[in-house]
Amino acid sequence: MKDIFDITDKKIIITGGNKGNGYAISKGLIAAGAKVLRLDKEFTNVLDSDDYELDLADEESIKVFLSMLSAEHQDIYGLINNAGISYESSNPYEDFKIFEDVLSINLRSAWILSSQICPLMSKNKKGSIINITSLGAELGFPNNPSYQASKGGLRQLTKAMATDWGKAGIRINNICPGYIKTSMTEKSYNNPKLNKERKDRTILNRWGKSSDLVGAAIFLISDASSYITGSDIYVDGGWSAKGL
C-alpha cells in the first residue's frame, strides 16, 4: 500500500528557515525525504538544504528569487510561509512603523510569494501551501495589535487563496501554533509567572516545542491531507479548546 504521508523528493520552500519553528520544520521535512529550499536573511544553522539569503521586507529581493525559481525549479510542490516578526512597544497604538514592518514580513511577503508560486504549481496541477499563523489570529491578546492583525490577515488570506486556486489542484491551509518556546517567546518563557500562566491555559499542561509543528506540516504537505484545504490546524496543546 502506498504511504500517503510520503513526501520523498518533493521540493518545498520555507521562509524563516534558519532558526526556531522554521528550522525545526525544515529539519523534519528533510528527514522525511523532502528537498527543502530555505529562505532567510542569514544562515547560521546548517541543514542539507538549498539556502537563499533573502530579505522578505525587500520586494526586489523577492522578485529576484522568484525569477530564479521560475527558471530553475518548475517542479516546486510546497511553500511554507513561516517567517514572522513581533516587536514589543511601550505604545503599540502610536508606533506606526512597527505596524508596517510586521505586516510587511508576516503578511505581505506571504502574499507575494504565494501569488507568484501558485501559477508555477498550477502547471503541474498540484501543490500545497502552508501558512503559519497563530492563536493570535483567532483570540485576543494584549499589547501586540500589529502581530495579531498580521496573523489574522494571513489566516483569511489562506481561505481566500484556497478558494481561488483549488481548481488548479493547489491546497492552502494554516498551521496555528500556540505558545512555542522560541527566541520570540523567550522573555515570557523565562519569566516564572508568565511561563506558568501560559502552561496552565493548555490542556496538555506544557509549552510547545518547535518540533511539535513537524507532524502537522508533513500531514498538510502530503497526500494524507488531499481533501483538506482552507482549514486551520491548531497546534496549541489544547489552548483554544479548553474551557474551565
Side-chain angles (χ1 to χ4, degrees):
M1 179 180 175
K2 178 186 175 184
D3 180 2
I4 59 174
F5 292 94
D6 184 18
I7 59 171
T8 302
D9 292 333
K10 287 186 175 179
K11 284 187 179 179
I12 302 164
I13 299 167
I14 180 164
T15 67
N18 177 57
K19 61 182 180 180
N21 295 338
Y23 175 80
I25 294 171
S26 297
K27 186 177 179 181
L29 294 174
I30 292 167
K35 295 181 178 178
V36 172
L37 289 72
R38 294 191 298 167
L39 310 185
D40 216 317
K41 291 184 74 171
E42 63 177 355
F43 289 95
T44 55
N45 294 310
V46 177
L47 286 175
D48 184 15
S49 56
D50 292 332
D51 298 338
Y52 299 87
E53 291 190 2
L54 182 65
D55 181 0
L56 290 172
D58 181 358
E59 188 171 342
E60 287 304 313
S61 294
I62 297 176
K63 286 180 179 178
V64 169
F65 169 75
L66 289 169
S67 177
M68 180 281 302
L69 195 71
S70 61
E72 300 180 17
H73 296 284
Q74 292 285 331
D75 53 345
I76 287 295
Y77 181 85
L79 167 64
I80 302 177
N81 289 305
N82 163 79
I85 60 174
S86 177
Y87 293 127
E88 287 189 7
S89 174
S90 59
N91 197 343
Y93 289 93
E94 294 291 338
D95 199 332
F96 300 135
K97 188 176 187 308
I98 283 181
F99 194 89
E100 292 171 358
D101 290 348
V102 170
L103 262 67
S104 176
I105 297 296
N106 296 10
L107 178 57
R108 191 167 185 270
S109 69
W111 152 248
I112 294 172
L113 286 169
S114 298
S115 65
Q116 298 303 304
I117 288 173
C118 276
L120 282 179
M121 291 178 172
S122 67
K123 292 178 181 178
N124 299 315
K125 294 184 169 54
K126 60 183 178 180
S128 175
I129 295 177
I130 301 171
N131 289 324
I132 307 296
T133 62
S134 167
L135 271 179
E138 176 74 18
L139 305 175
F141 289 90
N143 302 320
N144 206 350
S146 58
Y147 184 80
Q148 292 188 238
S150 68
K151 292 299 186 178
L154 185 59
R155 179 173 179 255
Q156 289 305 113
L157 178 65
T158 294
K159 297 175 189 302
M161 293 194 71
T163 303
D164 293 336
W165 288 96
K167 292 184 178 63
I170 300 169
R171 299 181 298 104
I172 308 176
N173 293 286
N174 293 319
I175 291 177
C176 314
Y179 271 85
I180 308 291
K181 183 188 175 185
T182 66
S183 58
M184 190 181 294
T185 60
E186 187 174 23
K187 186 174 180 179
S188 54
Y189 184 86
N190 290 334
N191 181 309
K193 181 177 181 293
L194 294 178
N195 184 301
K196 185 177 186 306
E197 286 177 356
R198 309 291 192 259
K199 183 176 66 174
D200 289 349
R201 289 295 299 268
T202 71
I203 292 172
L204 297 181
N205 196 39
R206 70 172 176 88
W207 278 59
K209 300 171 291 186
S210 293
S211 58
D212 290 325
L213 303 174
V214 174
I218 292 174
F219 171 64
L220 289 175
I221 289 289
S222 72
D223 290 341
S225 59
S226 62
Y227 199 52
I228 298 176
T229 194
S231 294
D232 305 305
I233 293 185
Y234 286 90
V235 185
D236 64 355
W239 181 310
S240 56
K242 186 176 181 179
L244 296 174

